[in-house]
Amino acid sequence: EAAVTQSPRNKVAVTGGKVTLSCNQTNNHNNMYWYRQDTGHGLRLIHYSYGAGSTEKGDIPDGYKASRPSQENFSLILELATPSQTSVYFCASGMGQSQNTLYFGAGTRLSVL
Amino acid sequence: GDSVTQTEGQVALSEEDFLTIHCNYSASGYPALFWYVQYPGEGPQFLFRASRDKEKGSSRGFEATYNKEATSFHLQKASVQESDSAVYYCALSANTGNYKYVFGAGTRLKVIA
C-alpha cells in the first residue's frame, strides 16, 4: 500500500517565525508535490520535485521554499511565516507519468498567529 | 495556464437521489482527467481516471465520461448513500512533460439519510 506520511499533523507558529513541514514516502515514487487547501480554492500547487535534489515552482510558490534531499523526503519551508499562510498543507507522491495517480498524506494544519 | 472548473461548491441530496457534479477543464494537449474524494480528516484519495476521448472511468458506483469536444468530465452516481458524503475534486494532468496536476475548487456533497 502506497504510504505518504506528513509531520507534524498540527502546528501553531508565530508571525515571522520559521516553519518546516516534512513529508516522507515509502512508494519509491520519483515525483513529490506540496499543495495547500483553502475553502473556495481547492488544492493549489506550491512546489514539486522530480527526484532527489530537484525542486520546481508550482502555481503559488511565493513565501515558500522546498527541499528534496532524498527520494523519500520532501520538505516545505516557510522562512518568515505570515497569517495568510494559515492553511491545510498536503504532500503527495506520484510515479511521474501524466496518467498516474497521486497518493496524498493526511495533511498538516498550520495556524500562523 | 491549465484550469479545472467545478460548478457546484456544495450539493445536498437525500439517500437514493441521483448525483451530478459538473467539471470542465481548459488545457493544452490531451490531458488525463481524474476524480478524487476526500473524507473528513484525511487526504484526497484517487477515485478513477480517464485518458482519452469518450473513455468512461468508474469506481464504487461513480462514473464520468471524458468529453473532449465539451471539455468536460462530469461525475455521476445513480443512487447516493449517506456514506458518500465527502468533498469531490476533479483534476487534470496535462501531457506536457512537467507532470503537474491541477485541481478544481472541490464540491462538498452532503447526503441526508
Side-chain angles (χ1 to χ4, degrees):
Chain A
E1 171 108 358
V4 179
T5 305
Q6 294 182 231
S7 62
R9 291 295 315 278
N10 292 280
K11 173 75 177 177
V12 179
V14 296
T15 298
K18 181 177 181 178
V19 177
T20 300
L21 307 183
S22 299
C23 178
N24 175 276
Q25 56 109 350
T26 58
N27 310 321
N28 198 31
H29 286 162
N30 291 328
N31 288 16
M32 296 186 74
Y33 306 80
W34 276 106
Y35 289 87
R36 63 177 284 175
Q37 182 180 53
D38 303 284
T39 303
H41 293 281
L43 294 159
R44 292 181 291 173
L45 182 64
I46 306 170
H47 284 289
Y48 60 106
S49 167
Y50 294 127
S54 96
T55 60
E56 304 289 336
K57 292 181 178 179
D59 298 320
I60 53 164
D62 293 346
Y64 302 94
K65 290 184 179 178
S67 173
R68 182 89 181 268
S70 65
Q71 179 82 339
E72 297 80 18
N73 295 295
F74 190 38
S75 297
L76 185 69
I77 303 152
L78 291 66
E79 295 277 6
L80 294 170
T82 68
S84 65
Q85 294 175 313
T86 293
S87 185
V88 181
Y89 292 85
F90 287 97
C91 175
S93 73
M95 283 291 292
Q97 298 175 19
S98 64
Q99 297 186 29
N100 288 123
T101 67
L102 294 185
Y103 294 88
F104 284 85
T108 295
R109 184 174 296 277
L110 173 65
S111 296
V112 183
L113 306 178
Chain B
D2 300 339
S3 65
V4 174
T5 301
Q6 291 180 236
T7 309
E8 299 89 357
Q10 296 187 75
V11 174
L13 296 173
S14 299
E15 279 196 326
E16 300 184 9
D17 279 353
F18 187 92
L19 168 71
T20 299
I21 297 176
H22 295 92
C23 172
N24 288 90
Y25 69 91
S26 173
S28 53
Y30 214 132
L33 303 175
F34 302 80
W35 278 101
Y36 283 78
V37 58
Q38 183 181 23
Y39 299 102
E42 299 180 6
Q45 56 184 266
F46 171 75
L47 193 55
F48 60 81
R49 69 169 168 264
S51 303
R52 56 187 180 275
D53 192 23
K54 299 182 177 53
E55 179 181 359
K56 179 187 284 188
S58 64
S59 176
R60 310 183 210 174
F62 293 91
E63 62 181 37
T65 300
Y66 195 131
N67 187 327
K68 192 172 191 309
E69 182 177 15
T71 61
S72 68
F73 192 54
H74 305 318
L75 181 68
Q76 295 186 320
K77 187 175 186 183
S79 177
V80 294
Q81 303 301 311
E82 190 175 13
S83 58
D84 293 326
S85 296
V87 179
Y88 293 82
Y89 286 100
C90 184
L92 69 81
S93 176
N95 224 344
T96 54
N98 62 14
Y99 310 123
K100 286 172 59 176
Y101 292 74
V102 178
F103 286 79
T107 299
R108 183 176 298 277
L109 171 65
K110 183 173 176 59
V111 181
I112 304 163

